[in-house]
Amino acid sequence: MKNIVLIGFMGTGKTTVGRLLANRLGRPFFDSDKKIEYEHNMNIREIFEVYGEIYFRQKERMIITRLSRYNNAVIATGGGVVLSPENMTNLKRNGVIITLTASVETILERTSRRHTRPLLDDLDQREKIVNKLLKERAELYHSADYNIDTSNKSLQQVINEIMFYLRQGGYLRGRR
Ligand code: S3P
């Protein structure tokens, strides 16, 4: 079976939704950021600080190449995965791509809870940066097979909506 790949901006819920979806489907779950962190024994912030963003993107591409070879997995990606056409080609080859979206207010609210995103460090400029990045990436996120706005939905609602889409699209082969 194809992988189920979650893409989308920071704070749209990819990791949380992915983990629960995998659990519900009885499939293995992988998170590209977590894999990079594990392999470096450093968090994303530290990797950005020590090695810089270009290095991070290079590692991200390597991890995505590897994860794309899996079958039957649920894969959550970092928000910038769409910046590389190579990533998207790899992920699409054996995956159904689902974009999670959220309003700017929701993104700001969710990402302010934990300071783990180096791109959003400048507290005074956060809203401006989020708007700028969203604008730059909007088209890339919309190249998915399915888009779902998570702003005013419970986790369960989001999962149910994804399950409905997957079932309709024949991605679950009538199971669950
Ligand atoms: C990034 C998103 C982050 C992480 C890194 C860069 C981005 O992942 O990969 O900080 O460029 O949007 P999350 O979307 O899981 O926060």
Side-chain angles (χ1 to χ4, degrees):
M1 295 293 278
K2 279 189 166 196
N3 295 318
I4 298 161
V5 180
L6 300 178
I7 66 170
F9 201 74
M10 295 172 264
T12 53
K14 301 177 296 287
T15 302
T16 312
V17 169
R19 191 174 290 125
L20 199 70
L21 183 66
N23 209 288
R24 178 94 175 257
L25 293 171
R27 294 189 184 201
F29 173 65
F30 301 97
D31 181 300
S32 62
D33 278 352
K34 296 277 178 295
K35 277 223 167 266
I36 297 172
E37 289 183 329
Y38 180 78
E39 289 185 5
H40 288 74
N41 198 20
M42 289 166 115
N43 62 36
I44 298 291
R45 161 176 308 289
E46 290 164 340
I47 296 171
F48 267 66
E49 272 167 17
V50 175
Y51 299 113
E53 183 174 349
I54 293 175
Y55 173 90
F56 170 78
R57 298 294 176 205
Q58 193 187 324
K59 290 294 158 192
E60 188 175 48
R61 280 196 299 279
M62 286 171 61
I63 296 284
I64 294 294
T65 303
R66 255 194 278 153
L67 292 180
S68 301
R69 294 197 192 111
Y70 293 2
N71 285 303
N72 212 31
V74 176
I75 301 171
T77 59
V81 83
V82 291
L83 297 172
S84 155
E86 182 188 321
N87 285 341
M88 296 315 291
T89 303
N90 283 333
L91 289 167
K92 282 178 180 173
R93 194 173 299 127
N94 187 33
V96 50
I97 314 287
I98 298 175
T99 294
L100 303 188
T101 66
S103 66
V104 173
E105 296 71 38
T106 306
I107 287 170
L108 288 170
E109 205 263 314
R110 289 183 189 159
T111 56
S112 65
R113 291 183 208 148
R114 287 164 65 230
H115 294 280
T116 52
R117 272 101 173 185
L119 295 180
L120 303 181
D121 269 350
D122 188 343
L123 295 185
D124 297 335
Q125 300 288 317
R126 275 163 56 83
E127 187 167 352
K128 219 169 129 186
I129 295 167
V130 167
N131 274 306
K132 179 175 169 282
L133 291 175
L134 275 174
K135 205 169 150 199
E136 283 169 11
R137 298 177 181 180
E139 210 177 301
L140 301 171
Y141 290 137
H142 277 95
S143 69
D145 297 299
Y146 186 64
N147 293 272
I148 167 167
D149 188 349
T150 64
S151 301
N152 295 309
K153 290 178 188 145
S154 68
L155 188 53
Q156 209 46 60
Q157 279 175 305
V158 173
I159 298 290
N160 288 344
E161 203 175 308
I162 293 176
M163 292 286 288
F164 184 77
Y165 166 74
L166 292 172
R167 217 175 276 124
Q168 294 271 308
Y171 296 109
L172 302 182
R173 285 218 190 107
R175 296 183 310 126
R176 292 168 220 264

